[in-house]
Amino acid sequence: MNLLTVEKLHKSFGNKILFDNITFGINEGDKIGIIGVNGTGKSTLLKIIAGVDKGDSGQIVTMNGLKIGYLPQTPVFYHKGTVLQQIFESDDKIMQLVREYETAIANNIASPQDTYWEKQVTTLTEQMDKEQAWSLESEAKTILTKLGITQFQQEISQLSGGQKKRVALARALISPVDLLILDEPTNHIDNDTVEWLEKYLSRYTKALIMVTHDRYFLDRVANRTIELEQGRLYPYDGNYSRYLELKAEREELLQAGERKRQNFLRTELEWVRRGAQARSTKQKARLQRFEEISAQKAPEERGNIEISAGSTRLGKKTIIAEHISKSYHLTTYIHDFNYILLRHDRIGIVGKNGCGKSTLVKIMTGALQPDSGTIEIGETVKIGVFSQENECMEQSQKVIDYIKDVAEYVPTVDGKITASQMLEKFLFPLDMQRSPISTLSGGEKRRLYLLRVLMSAPNVLFLDEPTNDLDIQTLTILENYLDTFPGAVIAVSHDRYFLDKIANRIFAFEKDGFIKQYEGGYSDYKQKAEQQEILSASTATTPKKQAYKKTKRAKKMTYMEQKEYETIGEKISSLEQELEQLQQQENTVSSDYIKLQEIAIQKEKAETELENVMERWIYLSELAEEIEKNKGE
C-alpha cells in the first residue's frame, strides 16, 4: 500500500538547484536509504517529507491519517523536562506543536529560546502525566538503556549533544507511526549500539526512510536505495551493495549511449559537409534528426573529489606513550597505557561512548596532560587533528579565506597548487568559494574542515569520528588517500566499514581503563573478542564441570542418586523443549522488545539450568558405569 508520494518536487537555494521535479513513492514495508554527495539536499528532502520544510513547487500526497516520526540531524528539545518526559513528546498533540515550532524557526518567526512554545509543550506534558498516558514507559526505558542512556529522570539540559541525539532517537523509535524518518541515526553512538540499532531496524515492520553514510548499516537495513545527484533522483531496488551494481550498470549504459550518439554525429556531420542536397523529404528528415540529436545534452559528469595533499618528512622518533593513566571524578578512563607509534601505523580506536577514546587522542597529541606517565613527541612529527567538532570555523568568513588561513599554496604529491584550485578539487566551485561558511550544509562544512586539516601537510593524522556527516563518496576517497598516506593514522570511529578499510590494528577500551590491542581491522577484532568471551566463559565453568570428577565416588549410588539418575533424562528433554518453545516465541514477537527482554532472561535461566543438569548427568552416568564395572569384577 502506498503511504506517501512525492510529486514533481522542486527546491533550490539561490542559484543552486537541489531537486528538479523529482517524483517517487514510499510504500508499506519500504526501508529506503538516501545517499548522495554532501549539499545535494538529502536532509532537506527529509524535512519536506516530514512537513518541517516546503518545496518551491510540487506536492507531497499522503495516505489519510498517516503518522510520521522524524529524527532531525540536530534535534531540538522544547522544554526543560526529564529524559523520560522528552520521549513522550511523540504524542500527536505535542508533535503538531513541535512541527509548528520547527516551521516557525525555519521561517525566522521563532527561536529556540521562545518561552511561549516551552510553556505550551510543558502544559501538554503535565496533562498527559496526570492522565497516566505513559503506557510505553517500560519499552522506552529499554530502548534508552540500549542507547546508553540510563538516568531517566535527568534534566535534558544536563546532557551532551551526543546524548541528546540518542534521546531523540529513542523518542523516534518509540513513536507509534506509519513512516519513520531518520537523519543520520548512527552519529554519536558507539559500535555496539550501532549493531543493536541495525538489528532493531532490520526487524522494524513500519516504513522507514533514512540518510546515513554507514555502508554496513545500509547493506543490512535498506531494501531500496535513492541517490540524489545534480538535482535528479535515481531509484534502485536493493541495499547498498545492490545499488553499487545497478549504478555501475546504469552508468555503463549511459556511456554506451553517449558513444553511440557521438558516432552518429560524426557520420552525419561528414554527410552534411559533403554538401548533401536537402531537397527531398527524406534528406530534410535526416537533417532534422541530426539537429535534434546534436542538441541533446551529454550525460553530466559527476564531480569527483580529489585528495592529493602532501605530507612532511617523518623521522624515526614519532610518539611514545609510557605508563599513561587518566581519571576523572574517581573513574579511571586510561590505565597504564604504553605504545610506541610506528611511522606507518593504521590504528582504529573503539569502545563505548564516554570510555575515554577522545581523551586518549588529546593526550597523544599533547593537548591534554595525563595524571601519570609521559608522552614524547618527536621533533619531526607534524600532527593533523580532524576532531568531532568543526574547529575555528567563523560562520561569516568566506570559504576561500578559511583555507588561506592555513596556506596560500598547498604542497601535493604533484607539486604545489593554489588554495582555490584545491577547493575545486574538493567540489567547491569558484562561486561557492566566495560565499560565507554559513551558507554551506553540515556535510559541506565537514568536507571543508577536512581539507583545512590535510592542507597543513601533517605526517601523523588523528581522526576523531571522521565519518560523522561526511558523504560516502568523500569517505571512499578519504579511505583511498589514507591507503597511500606516507605517515601514521589513528582514527576513533564507530563506522565499522571505515575501520575495516583503513585499520591494521585496533585499540579496544575495556573495563577499568584497560586498552587491549588486536591485530587487523574491526571485523577481525570483533571475531577475536567474541572468541575470547566464549573461552573466558568456558574457563569459568570448567571447575564446576570437573568438580564431580574430582569427588571420590562411592561404590554404589545412594537412594536419592538412583532416583535422580532415573529421571534426569526426562528433565533434560523438558529443558530442551522449553528452550525450543522460547526460541519460537522469540521469532514470533520480534518487534515487541519488552517481551523479547523477558524471553531472553527466561532463555538464559533455562540454558544455565540445562548446563548444570547435563554436568550432573555426566557425573551420574560415569558413576553408574563404574558401579557396573565393579560388579563385573
Side-chain angles (χ1 to χ4, degrees), residues 47-95:
K47 287 178 183 178
I48 293 173
I49 295 172
V52 174
D53 200 353
K54 290 183 179 179
D56 299 331
S57 62
Q59 60 180 342
I60 307 291
V61 181
T62 63
M63 176 188 76
N64 287 336
L66 181 71
K67 290 185 177 181
I68 296 176
Y70 173 50
L71 171 72
Q73 198 166 11
T74 306
V76 178
F77 293 95
Y78 308 95
H79 67 94
K80 301 182 178 69
T82 65
V83 166
L84 203 55
Q85 285 175 328
Q86 306 301 323
I87 299 297
F88 297 101
E89 284 183 356
S90 56
D91 175 78
D92 287 345
K93 293 178 183 177
I94 293 181
M95 282 307 294

Side-chain angles (χ1 to χ4, degrees), residues 217-252:
F217 195 86
L218 282 169
D219 236 10
R220 294 161 187 171
V221 175
N223 56 28
R224 284 180 63 195
T225 304
I226 287 176
E227 182 180 27
L228 291 176
E229 185 178 338
Q230 297 176 337
R232 297 175 186 173
L233 180 146
Y234 300 96
Y236 301 89
D237 287 329
N239 60 6
Y240 179 72
S241 295
R242 182 61 179 153
Y243 147 76
L244 290 176
E245 295 172 11
L246 294 173
K247 180 179 174 66
E249 290 175 11
R250 180 178 70 81
E251 291 185 338
E252 191 175 334

Side-chain angles (χ1 to χ4, degrees), residues 564-582:
E564 183 184 6
Y565 183 55
E566 291 171 359
T567 59
I568 199 167
E570 295 176 7
K571 193 169 184 179
I572 291 171
S573 178
S574 175
L575 285 167
E576 289 175 339
Q577 190 176 357
E578 182 184 349
L579 280 169
E580 188 177 343
Q581 290 172 351
L582 287 169

Side-chain angles (χ1 to χ4, degrees), residues 386-629:
F386 185 61
S387 62
Q388 291 193 47
E389 304 298 330
N390 300 337
E391 296 179 353
C392 308
M393 196 168 272
E394 175 57 50
Q395 297 300 304
S396 61
Q397 188 177 26
K398 291 180 180 178
V399 169
I400 184 70
D401 293 334
Y402 177 75
I403 295 301
K404 282 184 174 180
D405 282 349
V406 179
E408 292 274 352
Y409 293 90
V410 187
T412 72
V413 291
D414 303 317
K416 287 185 177 182
I417 63 172
T418 66
S420 179
Q421 289 172 323
M422 196 65 181
L423 278 165
E424 287 193 78
K425 284 175 173 284
F426 259 56
L427 300 187
F428 292 102
L430 291 174
D431 58 336
M432 191 181 287
Q433 292 177 24
R434 299 295 172 187
S435 302
I437 291 172
S438 60
T439 62
L440 303 182
S441 70
E444 287 171 327
K445 289 175 184 175
R446 290 292 284 171
R447 195 195 312 149
L448 182 65
Y449 175 41
L450 174 63
L451 174 57
R452 181 182 169 110
V453 173
L454 297 180
M455 282 190 62
S456 63
N459 50 33
V460 177
L461 262 177
F462 285 87
L463 308 173
D464 194 353
E465 296 293 0
T467 62
N468 283 355
D469 300 320
L470 283 183
D471 58 73
I472 291 174
Q473 184 183 347
T474 306
L475 285 174
T476 303
I477 302 300
L478 175 60
E479 288 159 0
N480 293 336
Y481 168 76
L482 294 177
D483 194 43
T484 57
F485 180 70
V489 179
I490 303 93
V492 175
S493 181
H494 63 263
D495 189 320
R496 300 154 295 172
Y497 190 103
F498 179 79
L499 289 175
D500 274 342
K501 285 277 285 185
I502 68 108
N504 55 27
R505 181 171 295 125
I506 297 292
F507 287 173
F509 275 72
E510 301 190 342
K511 290 181 180 180
D512 302 320
F514 286 95
I515 301 172
K516 191 166 184 178
Q517 297 178 30
Y518 294 85
E519 296 302 309
Y522 179 82
S523 296
D524 298 316
Y525 144 72
K526 195 70 177 174
Q527 183 181 5
K528 290 171 186 173
E530 287 173 354
Q531 288 173 349
Q532 286 183 5
E533 282 182 14
I534 294 169
L535 183 62
S536 298
S538 174
T539 305
T541 57
T542 299
K544 290 183 182 177
K545 293 179 179 179
Q546 298 298 324
Y548 295 118
K549 295 180 181 180
K550 290 180 181 179
T551 304
K552 187 178 180 180
R553 289 176 180 151
K555 292 182 179 180
K556 65 177 184 177
M557 286 186 181
T558 64
Y559 173 78
M560 293 302 294
E561 284 177 332
Q562 185 63 41
K563 295 295 289 183
E564 183 184 6
Y565 183 55
E566 291 171 359
T567 59
I568 199 167
E570 295 176 7
K571 193 169 184 179
I572 291 171
S573 178
S574 175
L575 285 167
E576 289 175 339
Q577 190 176 357
E578 182 184 349
L579 280 169
E580 188 177 343
Q581 290 172 351
L582 287 169
Q583 183 62 52
Q584 290 173 355
Q585 288 179 36
E586 192 174 49
N587 296 335
T588 306
V589 296
S590 58
S591 60
D592 187 342
Y593 284 87
I594 298 175
K595 188 66 177 174
L596 277 173
Q597 193 176 29
E598 293 173 358
I599 292 171
I601 294 170
Q602 292 175 36
K603 274 183 68 177
E604 187 177 357
K605 185 178 178 182
E607 286 168 352
T608 302
E609 188 177 355
L610 179 60
E611 185 179 354
N612 291 334
V613 172
M614 288 297 292
E615 290 173 6
R616 183 65 175 166
W617 174 76
I618 291 170
Y619 167 74
L620 292 172
S621 297
E622 290 179 352
L623 179 58
E625 287 177 10
E626 192 172 332
I627 291 170
E628 285 297 318
K629 184 179 178 182

Side-chain angles (χ1 to χ4, degrees), residues 201-339:
L201 292 177
S202 64
R203 295 193 292 258
Y204 190 70
T205 56
K206 302 298 182 181
L208 168 69
I209 184 166
M210 59 184 171
V211 170
T212 179
H213 306 309
D214 189 316
R215 287 154 285 185
Y216 281 157
F217 195 86
L218 282 169
D219 236 10
R220 294 161 187 171
V221 175
N223 56 28
R224 284 180 63 195
T225 304
I226 287 176
E227 182 180 27
L228 291 176
E229 185 178 338
Q230 297 176 337
R232 297 175 186 173
L233 180 146
Y234 300 96
Y236 301 89
D237 287 329
N239 60 6
Y240 179 72
S241 295
R242 182 61 179 153
Y243 147 76
L244 290 176
E245 295 172 11
L246 294 173
K247 180 179 174 66
E249 290 175 11
R250 180 178 70 81
E251 291 185 338
E252 191 175 334
L253 285 172
L254 283 174
Q255 290 168 3
E258 177 59 16
R259 286 195 297 270
K260 187 176 179 180
R261 188 178 78 94
Q262 293 295 338
N263 289 335
F264 170 81
L265 290 176
R266 276 194 294 271
T267 303
E268 295 301 289
L269 188 60
E270 286 296 322
W271 176 75
V272 171
R273 283 173 176 169
R274 286 199 301 268
Q277 299 295 319
R279 293 175 182 173
S280 69
T281 303
K282 185 176 181 181
Q283 288 171 326
K284 286 180 180 178
R286 185 171 178 178
L287 278 171
Q288 185 178 355
R289 187 180 175 216
F290 169 75
E291 289 168 357
E292 287 174 353
I293 292 178
S294 63
Q296 290 177 3
K297 289 183 179 180
E300 293 183 31
E301 291 189 8
R302 180 177 59 183
N304 285 316
I305 298 168
E306 296 179 38
I307 301 180
S308 57
S311 63
T312 51
R313 187 187 69 83
L314 182 61
K316 290 184 178 180
K317 186 178 179 181
T318 55
I319 299 175
I320 302 171
E322 291 186 330
H323 303 292
I324 296 299
S325 293
K326 188 68 178 178
S327 300
Y328 290 108
H329 306 298
L330 303 178
T331 300
T332 300
Y333 289 91
I334 300 171
H335 176 74
D336 197 27
F337 174 71
N338 296 275
Y339 192 73

